[in-house]
């Protein structure tokens, strides 16, 4: 659906490139996350997808179009197939909610008789049917982002780009907006590219993720894999913020293990049973049970003492628990 | 009352008021018609904007600065040949309007440009991301978003034109300001001066009030 082929981007007069040799593939119908710290190049990356920036080297292919090679008219045609929402919403403050949603329809040349019903349908989809006559200044942040989403979906795009779409919202509103995005992905088969600096956002809605650091992709893969078993230090730091597992290590104490349970195993009394059978004592130093999208997982930091530790480890592995030295 | 306003000929005052209003209305209309697109082009051709064009922007900007640096009285005189070409005479109310427009339109264009610069860049970018053409962005997003500033600029321009019209007496255009200068100042008819100045004050107040109301009406922030 979207493909980056050895893409580099250097801004004029910038000392270092904003993106270096980025290659990635976004599959149709998935929610793809890009995470990185401030200045990592996330916005630059997402803006390459709809041609708001052009690559300095390499190719960006969006929905079968080589973005860098399009002329102005072809680029506009592509942009009508790709919706975008923004951190600061970027609504027209001079227009009502309904007129904001109608604007992209007018831009695309929809006859005015068809615009009214389509706007009503879109506002219904984002749960704002009763706010049509208000102006953006009269809405809450969450409502503004819903208008942004309705506007981005107006022309029925296949792809939705989200540039820090929840970064200006409180945690509860963030959750609601992410739920809406997940719903749109499921029900409309919308491909979503979402950039953020918060691992929590990735954990909630993304299928796959790429970690960006100083313009390079340093890690990428299935969200559960990257989130539960981060390898690059930037990823570890981002995950530690979200998981809170790093803090509990004791210097000089017994060796600690990180146990990861996924899926149904999360809810089974595996650890207790194996400890009893092997005579091992365990203490839990830290832990978290939660979900990655819809999949439950548990992650425990434990130390095992006494008994047959080797047998305990073998049985844990056999039960589908992943063990890592922490 | 009679003695107090001995020199005031109300018919003359009425005529002067009418002249002022015609000059003001005519020159404001043409200043907006010319200044608004000029301001939009100045904005669009500036560096990093939608139609960035260094040469065009520099040429326009320089022309605007030249026109704005010429004192209005001199503009009145050097424009006489052009004025005759445009309206058939360089005298009277009609003769005053072209120089008023040439004096005010560049001023208004700068105010429009400033108002457009105030528009959130993100809003323009959102419109670009929808696939809007520059024309659709200007009419659908930029102008509506900048409307409060554009109207406030028109108010400032209208009030500046009121004082320009006073100088238009040089070409015999008449008007309240001319009356104040010729009778009130040069012939020491203080009562005429006071009456005309009060009327000018009322005019300025009225313009500012109407302009402020309009701005409030279109402001949605
Ligand atoms: N138009 C531009 N001109 C010059 N440099 C730019 C431009 N846009 C971005 N950069 C630079 O490119 C780098 C990456 O910027 P980018 O906005 O993509 O980062 P980001 O990951 O989105 O950061 P943030 O989380 O702060 O939004 C930064 O060093 C930035 O200064
Ligand atoms: Mg950014």
């Amino acid at each position: 659906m979207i493909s980056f082929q050895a893409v580099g981007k250097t801004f004029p007069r910038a000392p270092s490139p904003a993106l270096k040799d980025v290659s990635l593939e976004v599959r149709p119908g998935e929610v793809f996350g890009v995470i990185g710290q401030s200045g990592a190049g996330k916005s630059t990356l997402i803006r390459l997808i709809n041609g708001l920036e052009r690559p300095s080297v390499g190719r960006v292919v969006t929905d079968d179009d080589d973005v860098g090679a399009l002329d102005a008219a072809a680029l506009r045609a592509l942009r009508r197939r790709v919706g975008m929402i923004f951190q600061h919403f970027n609504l027209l403050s001079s227009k009502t909610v309904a007129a904001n949603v109608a604007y992209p329809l007018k831009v695309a040349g929809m006859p005015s008789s068809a615009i009214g019903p389509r706007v009503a349908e879109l506002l219904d989809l984002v749960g704002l049917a009763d706010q049509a006559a208000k102006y953006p200044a009269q809405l809450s942040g969450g409502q503004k982002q819903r208008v942004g989403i309705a506007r981005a979906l107006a022309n029925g795009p296949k792809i939705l780009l989200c540039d820090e779409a929840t970064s200006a919202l409180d945690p509860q509103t963030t959750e609601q907006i992410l739920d809406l995005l997940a719903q749109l992905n499921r029900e409309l088969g919308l491909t979503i590219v979402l950039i953020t600096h918060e691992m929590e956002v990735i954990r909630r809605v993304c299928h796959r993720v790429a970690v960006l650091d100083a313009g390079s992709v340093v890690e990428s893969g299935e969200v559960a894999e990257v989130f539960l078993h981060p390898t690059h230090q930037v990823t570890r730091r981002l995950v530690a913020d979200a998981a809170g597992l790093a803090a509990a290590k004791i210097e000089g104490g017994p060796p600690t293990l990180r146990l990861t349970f996924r899926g149904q195993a999360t809810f089974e009394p595996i650890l207790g049973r194996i400890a009893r059978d092997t005579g091992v004592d365990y203490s839990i130093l830290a832990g978290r049970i939660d979900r990655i999208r819809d999949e439950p997982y548990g992650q425990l930091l434990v130390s095992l003492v006494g008994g047959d530790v080797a047998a305990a480890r073998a049985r844990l592995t056999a039960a589908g628990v992943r063990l890592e030295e922490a | 009352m009679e003695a107090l306003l001995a020199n005031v000929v109300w018919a003359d005052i009425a005529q002067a008021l009418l002249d002022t209003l015609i000059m003001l209305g005519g020159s404001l209309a043409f200043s907006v018609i010319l200044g608004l697109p000029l301001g939009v082009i100045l904005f669009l051709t500036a560096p990093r904007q939608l139609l960035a064009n260094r040469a065009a922007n520099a040429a326009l900007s320089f022309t605007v600065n030249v026109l704005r640096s010429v004192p209005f009285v001199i503009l009145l005189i050097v424009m006489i040949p052009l004025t005759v070409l445009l309206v058939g005479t360089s005298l009277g109310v009609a003769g005053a309007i072209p120089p008023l427009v040439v004096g005010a339109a560049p001023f208004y264009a700068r105010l429009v440009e400033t108002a457009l610069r105030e528009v959130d860049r993100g809003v323009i970018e959102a419109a670009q991301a929808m696939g809007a053409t520059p024309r659709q962005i200007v009419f659908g997003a930029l102008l509506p978003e900048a409307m409060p500033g554009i109207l406030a600029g028109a108010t400032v321009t209208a009030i500046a034109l009121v004082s320009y019209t006073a100088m238009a007496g040089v070409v015999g255009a008449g008007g309240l300001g001319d009356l104040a200068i010729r009778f009130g100042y040069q012939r020491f008819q203080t009562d005429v001066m006071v009456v005309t100045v009060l009327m000018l004050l009322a005019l300025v107040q009225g313009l500012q009030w109407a302009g402020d109301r309009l701005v409030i009406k279109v402001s949605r922030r």
Side-chain angles (χ1 to χ4, degrees):
Chain A
M1 184 102 288
I2 300 165
S3 141
F4 278 66
Q5 298 159 13
V7 174
K9 173 74 186 177
T10 308
F11 287 104
R13 287 186 303 279
S16 58
L19 288 178
K20 285 175 283 200
D21 194 28
V22 170
S23 293
L24 48 85
E25 204 71 41
V26 178
R27 301 170 189 155
E30 78 174 335
V31 184
F32 189 91
V34 177
I35 189 168
Q37 291 159 328
S38 188
K42 305 182 296 292
S43 296
T44 307
L45 186 148
I46 206 165
R47 291 159 55 85
L48 283 162
I49 297 173
N50 62 356
L52 287 175
E53 305 287 356
R54 296 199 175 222
S56 311
V57 292
R59 251 159 54 101
V60 177
V61 179
T62 303
D63 196 20
D64 300 328
D65 280 340
D66 181 347
V67 180
L70 298 177
D71 63 22
L75 189 57
R76 285 196 293 270
L78 171 67
R79 285 173 178 169
R80 288 172 197 168
R81 309 200 302 276
V82 180
M84 189 169 194
I85 58 176
F86 305 87
Q87 177 172 4
H88 299 295
F89 323 121
N90 298 350
L91 302 178
L92 293 162
S93 62
S94 57
K95 294 190 193 276
T96 62
V97 165
N100 265 282
V101 178
Y103 181 55
L105 298 170
K106 282 189 195 149
V107 161
M110 184 183 263
S112 46
S113 60
I115 289 181
R118 176 70 180 144
V119 169
E121 186 185 347
L122 287 157
L123 289 179
D124 210 36
L125 180 69
V126 299
L128 288 181
D130 51 346
Q131 310 286 328
K134 287 200 175 162
Y135 286 87
Q138 299 167 288
L139 302 180
S140 71
Q143 290 172 322
K144 284 183 203 168
Q145 196 57 291
R146 284 170 192 273
V147 178
I149 293 171
R151 181 176 72 171
L153 297 180
N155 289 313
K158 297 186 198 168
I159 300 172
L160 179 65
L161 308 176
C162 312
D163 187 346
E164 300 268 9
T166 58
S167 296
L169 304 175
D170 62 45
Q172 233 177 339
T173 314
T174 294
E175 204 170 310
Q176 289 164 6
I177 293 294
L178 294 179
D179 286 348
L180 176 60
L181 292 178
Q183 177 200 334
L184 296 170
N185 167 251
R186 267 195 321 272
E187 291 174 7
L188 308 179
L190 196 64
T191 304
I192 298 179
V193 179
L194 178 158
I195 70 172
T196 179
H197 60 272
E198 293 169 302
M199 203 66 189
E200 278 301 303
V201 170
I202 302 284
R203 183 177 67 80
R204 277 186 181 282
V205 287
C206 294
H207 298 101
R208 293 193 308 135
V209 62
V211 182
L212 206 57
D213 181 48
S216 301
V217 174
V218 293
E219 195 164 348
S220 67
E222 298 291 323
V223 168
E225 195 56 32
V226 172
F227 183 76
L228 296 172
H229 312 289
T231 57
H232 194 274
Q233 62 156 32
V234 170
T235 322
R236 287 203 176 144
R237 195 158 54 233
L238 289 164
V239 170
D241 289 345
L245 277 184
K249 254 181 109 171
I250 306 163
E251 287 305 319
T256 53
L257 278 180
R258 188 169 61 191
L259 311 184
T260 307
F261 306 76
R262 283 179 61 180
Q264 206 42 46
T266 311
F267 302 120
E268 283 168 13
I270 300 173
L271 183 58
R273 193 189 306 138
I274 293 174
R276 211 168 41 245
D277 293 354
T278 56
V280 167
D281 277 331
Y282 62 90
S283 58
I284 297 174
L285 305 173
R288 171 171 180 167
I289 295 170
D290 211 322
R291 281 165 196 277
I292 292 173
R293 286 175 55 83
D294 301 323
E295 186 197 0
Y297 77 91
Q299 205 163 43
L300 298 177
L301 205 59
V302 299
S303 61
L304 303 178
V305 266
D308 190 349
V309 172
R313 291 181 63 142
R315 289 209 28 205
L316 282 167
T317 308
V321 178
R322 187 141 154 196
L323 273 63
E324 287 156 299
E325 312 295 333
Chain B
M1 203 65 188
E2 288 292 305
L4 208 58
L5 300 175
N7 302 308
V8 177
V9 183
W10 289 103
D12 287 355
I13 301 257
Q15 183 60 48
L17 177 64
L18 188 65
D19 288 347
T20 293
L21 289 176
I22 293 172
M23 277 190 283
L24 178 63
S27 60
L28 182 63
F30 282 106
S31 296
V32 169
I33 290 170
L34 294 174
L36 185 59
L38 184 57
V40 171
I41 295 169
L42 274 170
F43 171 77
L44 290 176
T45 55
R48 293 167 47 75
Q49 297 299 344
L50 281 178
L51 304 175
N53 183 325
R54 188 178 291 270
N57 189 257
L60 274 179
S61 185
F62 182 71
T63 311
V64 164
N65 289 347
V66 167
L67 291 176
R68 287 194 59 198
S69 59
V70 178
F72 182 64
V73 178
I74 296 177
L75 201 59
L76 269 176
I77 293 159
V78 298
M79 272 196 54
I80 286 174
L82 180 63
T83 305
V84 172
L85 202 70
L86 285 172
V87 293
T89 171
S90 68
L91 298 175
V93 169
I97 289 179
L100 284 169
V101 171
V102 170
F107 174 65
Y108 182 56
R110 284 294 186 203
L111 297 177
V112 169
E113 184 193 11
T114 308
L116 292 172
R117 280 206 202 130
E118 296 289 310
V119 174
D120 185 355
R121 248 197 110 75
V123 171
I124 300 172
E125 197 161 288
Q128 277 181 294
M130 284 170 207
T133 60
R135 168 192 287 269
Q136 287 169 327
I137 294 175
V138 168
F139 288 100
L142 263 176
L143 290 177
E145 288 295 287
M147 199 44 80
I150 289 172
L151 290 175
T155 309
V156 172
T157 305
I159 290 170
L161 278 169
V162 171
S163 61
Y164 282 0
T165 58
M167 289 181 266
V170 172
V171 292
L176 287 170
D178 181 48
L179 209 62
I181 293 169
R182 280 194 297 125
F183 291 83
Y185 178 68
Q186 289 166 351
R187 296 188 199 171
F188 304 106
Q189 295 177 355
T190 311
D191 50 355
V192 175
M193 179 147 80
V194 168
V195 167
T196 50
V197 168
L198 282 178
M199 296 190 82
L200 285 169
L201 173 65
L203 185 58
V204 169
Q205 286 276 16
L207 286 169
Q208 188 66 53
W209 178 84
D212 288 348
R213 290 292 300 257
L214 267 177
V215 170
I216 290 168
K217 210 168 133 66
V218 300
S219 291
R220 301 291 180 188
R221 276 183 199 279

